[in-house]
Amino acid sequence: MDSLSYKTISASAATVTKEWVVIDANGEVLGRLASQVAKILRGKNKPCYTPHADCGDYVVVINADKVKLTGNKMTDKVYTRHTGYPGGQRFTTPAEYLVKKPTFIVEKAVKGMLPKTRLGERLLMNLKVYAGAEHPHAAQNPRTIKLNEIK
């Protein structure tokens, strides 16, 4: 029996093969979309997953302006930010963000599902979100996947 076959293999930046994936957000529920995108960014759908390494794929999300929110979240959910000045707290709903910056709500949802560390910041750079159906990453030959195909 070969004892080398029982060694734990840890993925590193040199051994990981990163692919490009396109996900269409048209009609998808925001939270379910974001959790699947975070799983792909993290690399948890691959057999070589390593928690401390960037072993996920590049993800391109198109049609981010057509994402759905269930219930009354489109008007009742509130995003809070602060300007840094006294009394500078500002509140915005997803409906307002879809008008002025449609990619924000998908990026924010995915960011909340990634680790709050340097690795999480690095993984977020692998996410590309676009409001329309066009994206400039055709040269990378991205693979289009449906959310229900992801295990």
Side-chain angles (χ1 to χ4, degrees):
M1 186 171 294
D2 187 13
S3 63
L4 293 177
S5 64
Y6 294 108
K7 287 198 172 195
T8 302
I9 299 171
S10 186
S12 66
T15 60
V16 172
T17 57
K18 296 171 83 67
E19 298 177 352
W20 284 77
V21 174
V22 173
I23 296 178
D24 190 2
N26 188 5
E28 297 292 339
V29 178
L30 177 63
R32 296 176 186 274
L33 168 77
S35 64
Q36 295 297 327
V37 169
K39 187 193 312 183
I40 296 170
L41 284 172
R42 194 83 203 270
K44 288 192 167 189
N45 59 336
K46 293 183 173 183
C48 66
Y49 169 70
T50 305
H52 59 79
D54 178 9
C55 54
D57 295 330
Y58 294 97
V59 178
V60 178
V61 179
I62 56 174
N63 293 321
D65 55 346
K66 295 181 178 77
V67 74
K68 288 190 324 188
L69 278 87
T70 58
N72 295 328
K73 290 191 202 96
M74 193 63 83
T75 55
D76 293 351
K77 183 179 174 69
V78 175
Y79 292 109
T80 307
R81 66 182 181 88
H82 201 284
T83 63
Y85 289 95
Q89 204 169 20
R90 302 289 184 256
F91 306 99
T92 314
T93 63
E96 294 169 1
Y97 267 121
L98 281 177
V99 172
K100 66 179 180 178
K101 191 176 177 186
T103 61
F104 172 80
I105 60 173
V106 174
E107 290 169 353
K108 176 128 173 107
V110 173
K111 182 180 179 181
M113 296 182 185
L114 291 175
K116 279 59 170 183
T117 58
R118 287 179 293 181
L119 176 63
E121 292 172 11
R122 179 69 189 95
L123 293 173
L124 201 59
M125 289 185 213
N126 297 337
L127 175 67
K128 316 291 182 194
V129 183
Y130 298 99
E134 270 80 43
H135 62 87
H137 304 288
Q140 282 78 19
N141 297 324
R143 180 173 49 105
T144 304
I145 60 172
K146 303 260 188 268
L147 287 182
N148 55 7
E149 293 176 358
I150 303 169
K151 298 292 183 222

